[in-house]
Amino acid sequence: MPKRVHSTSFKAKVAIEAIKGEKTIAELASEFGVHPVQVSHWKKQFLEGAAEVFSEGSARSREAELQRQLDEAHRQCPIELNAPLRSRNILYLSVYHFQ
């Protein structure tokens, strides 16, 4: 049986329903078509990660910092790849020297 990949919004929806406690884990698992252990796991992950939403070191700020570092490294890199220029499977590199 192939492994199913569920979206983060689906996982959050299942976790929120589990946290509400209106239905049992088994009922939710049957309703959403997943294993009961998976429902419990997503509920636990959701609760453990809830505090991070309000922290200064949230995923969004970490992502912005990583993007800033990547942009800085790109500006300092003296090599530019010219992907469209291919001849006999050779990728040409244009090297620029910044002063």
Side-chain angles (χ1 to χ4, degrees):
M1 182 176 211
K3 183 178 178 180
R4 291 187 301 177
V5 178
H6 300 286
S7 69
T8 54
S9 60
F10 176 80
K11 294 175 186 178
K13 181 178 178 179
V14 174
I16 290 168
E17 289 298 318
I19 292 166
K20 286 180 183 178
E22 296 172 356
K23 297 180 182 176
T24 66
I25 297 294
E27 290 172 332
L28 291 172
S30 177
E31 179 182 331
F32 289 105
V34 296
H35 196 277
V37 173
Q38 190 65 68
V39 175
S40 297
H41 181 70
W42 289 340
K43 176 183 174 182
K44 181 181 176 188
Q45 281 184 309
F46 189 91
L47 291 172
E48 288 174 351
E52 189 174 326
V53 172
F54 302 106
S55 71
E56 289 184 28
S58 69
R60 198 173 304 153
S61 63
R62 285 193 303 271
E63 183 179 321
E65 175 60 21
L66 289 173
Q67 184 62 49
R68 187 196 63 74
Q69 291 174 358
L70 179 63
D71 292 342
E72 179 65 27
H74 185 260
R75 282 191 292 277
Q76 294 176 359
C77 183
I79 298 174
E80 179 184 315
L81 297 175
N82 291 316
L85 301 176
R86 289 188 176 95
S87 175
R88 297 182 188 165
N89 297 327
I90 297 173
L91 179 65
Y92 290 100
L93 298 176
S94 298
V95 179
Y96 296 96
H97 298 283
F98 295 104
Q99 308 241 351

